[in-house]
Amino acid sequence: MATENKAKPSTVTNKGKKRKQYLPHNKAVKKKGAYPLRPGVQGFFITCDGGRERQAAHEALDVIDSFFEELVNGKDFGEDPAVLPNKPLNKKITFSYSDDEGDDDDDEGDGEGEEEGQEEVIKSNASKEIDACQESLTNKDLDHPNSDDVCHGKVTEETSDNQKDGANIENQADNLEEPPAKKQCLETDTSKSATNEKEKSIDKLIEAELNELGDKSKRLFFNLDSGCNGVVFVQMRKRDGVPSPKDIVQHMMTSAASTRKHMSRSILRVLPVEVACYSSEEEITRAMKPLIEQYFPVETQNPRKFAVLYEARANSGIDRMKIINSVAKSVPAPHKVDLSNPDMTIVVEIVKTICLIGVVEKYKELAKYNLRQLTSPKQ
């Protein structure tokens, strides 16, 4: 009995214990889902309805990618993307052989009419000759036994001549009925080879694009976990010769304001982020320097009016006025603060311990970059 009582707690302890997880040496464990937001990134700060972060992230990737392609294609063709039409223009296309075809039809009709007229003339002439021969036989003596043969010979000669003329006319009509060479759509070996080469090139482009989409390291846009409800962050990789997040968002808002086309069900606001750092006063002033040099140069003939937009989420340990004053003081003297009608707005968004900074234009005119409000119908 004692041995049985000792064996029972050992089994319970074995069942209650969790198995040890042996991780690979010096290798980070991959976390399921998106990577967390971190300093040193650029992209798009997006607000959405609470509980729809995943749906908003997928919609944001599609919308941002479409406007990025519009910007790139517009720059390649030397056209302003905002002026490009939304629908293809309806144009009347006339082929080069359309006029010739009408002429050929007319010629064919004329040839058929002439042929019918000539046949009628031939028949009438032959009947007249036969009647004349018969009258001459009745009126005159039948001294010549071969008179019928003579008449028939004349008629046969004339009919043979008329038949030759009719055959010539038929040949001419047949020649006219033949379609021109430009109408014949014959597939030659060269055309087949050209189409095969085009199909191969298209297949290669599709395979390259699929490989690029499958490889996460080659993606231009991807989602990062913000860690806050109602907030989505889409990172954009830094590449040379590519439009900045500010250009993409500016194009998105101007096109939305002009077309009022519905784009998303979950996205509310879209703001560009060009600098990300830790949310401390020293780090923010240090990270602001390249942006100040780019958008607020010291030597300029056109000073700009600016305002600072500050908002914090999941962080109550930072003084709001300290951050606003530090950002405003970093802008040089020619430029002035104007809260009522600013030319540029410096956006400072703090999410937990990360500070996201960007610069936008026409913030109030474009409904504070609220995509839903811009695309809603006017009341």
Side-chain angles (χ1 to χ4, degrees):
M1 294 293 290
T3 56
E4 290 179 359
N5 292 331
K6 288 180 181 178
K8 287 181 180 179
S10 63
T11 55
V12 172
T13 53
N14 290 332
K15 289 182 180 178
K17 284 182 180 180
K18 295 181 180 179
R19 292 183 179 179
K20 292 182 180 180
Q21 294 181 355
Y22 295 96
L23 303 177
H25 184 63
N26 291 332
K27 289 184 180 180
V29 180
K30 291 185 179 180
K31 182 185 173 183
K32 292 182 179 179
Y35 289 100
L37 183 60
R38 61 187 184 275
V41 297
Q42 67 172 8
F44 308 90
F45 178 84
I46 300 165
T47 60
C48 63
D49 297 328
R52 294 189 176 181
E53 289 83 6
R54 189 170 182 178
Q55 184 179 359
H58 289 297
E59 291 177 357
L61 289 172
D62 294 337
V63 172
I64 292 167
D65 195 12
S66 63
F67 281 103
F68 172 77
E69 288 180 357
E70 283 184 9
L71 262 182
V72 172
N73 294 333
K75 284 184 179 179
D76 289 342
F77 291 103
E79 296 174 357
D80 189 6
V83 184
L84 292 175
N86 294 326
K87 296 181 180 180
L89 297 175
N90 294 325
K91 293 183 179 179
K92 185 178 179 182
I93 301 172
T94 56
F95 296 96
S96 59
Y97 59 83
S98 60
D99 297 335
D100 300 337
E101 188 175 1
D103 296 338
D104 294 339
D105 295 338
D106 296 338
D107 294 339
E108 289 175 3
D110 296 337
E112 290 176 358
E114 290 177 359
E115 184 181 353
E116 291 176 357
Q118 299 242 346
E119 287 178 357
E120 291 178 358
V121 170
I122 290 166
K123 290 179 181 179
S124 62
N125 291 332
S127 61
K128 287 179 182 179
E129 290 291 336
I130 291 168
D131 295 336
C133 289
Q134 289 177 357
E135 288 177 359
S136 62
L137 287 172
T138 54
N139 293 330
K140 294 181 181 180
D141 296 329
L142 296 175
D143 296 334
H144 301 283
N146 295 328
S147 60
D148 292 336
D149 297 335
V150 173
C151 291
H152 287 296
K154 290 181 181 180
V155 173
T156 53
E157 286 178 0
E158 290 180 356
T159 52
S160 63
D161 294 335
N162 292 329
Q163 285 176 359
K164 289 180 181 179
D165 295 335
N168 293 329
I169 292 166
E170 287 178 358
N171 292 329
Q172 291 177 0
D174 293 335
N175 293 328
L176 290 172
E177 287 177 0
E178 290 180 359
K182 61 179 73 176
K183 287 185 182 178
Q184 296 177 359
C185 300
L186 300 175
E187 293 181 358
T188 59
D189 295 335
T190 56
S191 63
K192 287 182 180 179
S193 62
T195 52
N196 291 330
E197 289 178 359
K198 287 182 180 178
E199 289 178 357
K200 288 180 181 178
S201 62
I202 291 169
D203 293 338
K204 288 180 181 178
L205 290 173
I206 292 170
E207 288 179 2
E209 189 172 357
L210 289 174
N211 293 330
E212 186 175 354
L213 291 173
D215 190 1
K216 293 183 179 180
S217 62
K218 293 183 179 180
R219 291 181 186 175
L220 186 60
F221 305 105
F222 54 93
N223 182 30
L224 293 182
D225 186 13
S226 63
C228 290
N229 292 331
V231 175
V232 175
F233 187 84
V234 176
Q235 182 182 353
M236 179 180 176
R237 293 189 184 276
K238 297 179 181 179
R239 293 181 183 176
D240 296 333
V242 172
S244 63
K246 177 182 175 297
D247 298 332
I248 297 171
V249 175
Q250 189 75 28
H251 172 53
M252 185 191 303
M253 295 302 158
T254 51
S255 61
S258 60
T259 59
R260 292 195 171 272
K261 183 181 177 182
H262 180 73
M263 299 178 189
S264 174
R265 295 179 62 185
S266 305
I267 297 174
L268 295 177
R269 279 204 299 172
V270 182
L271 295 171
V273 175
E274 299 184 63
V275 173
C277 62
Y278 287 108
S279 56
S280 65
E281 190 176 351
E282 294 80 9
E283 290 288 335
I284 291 171
T285 52
R286 190 184 306 165
M288 281 288 297
K289 287 182 180 179
L291 285 181
I292 297 300
E293 293 175 357
Q294 182 180 357
Y295 296 107
F296 303 98
V298 179
E299 297 178 357
T300 179
Q301 297 179 356
N302 298 321
R304 295 178 175 178
K305 297 177 287 184
F306 70 95
V308 179
L309 176 67
Y310 174 86
E311 195 170 358
R313 290 176 175 82
N315 192 334
S316 59
I318 297 176
D319 190 359
R320 177 174 179 272
M321 290 309 298
K322 281 185 179 179
I323 301 298
I324 292 174
N325 291 331
S326 63
V327 172
K329 287 178 182 178
S330 61
V331 180
H335 310 281
K336 296 180 180 180
V337 177
D338 189 355
L339 301 178
S340 60
N341 190 18
D343 299 328
M344 309 283 287
T345 302
I346 302 172
V347 180
V348 180
E349 293 282 350
I350 293 177
V351 180
K352 288 187 173 181
T353 59
I354 307 298
C355 179
L356 309 173
I357 305 169
V359 180
V360 296
E361 298 177 3
K362 299 179 181 180
Y363 182 71
K364 291 185 177 179
E365 290 85 344
L366 294 173
K368 297 182 179 180
Y369 280 52
N370 192 322
L371 196 62
R372 182 178 293 178
Q373 189 172 350
L374 282 173
T375 55
S376 61
K378 293 182 179 180
Q379 296 179 354

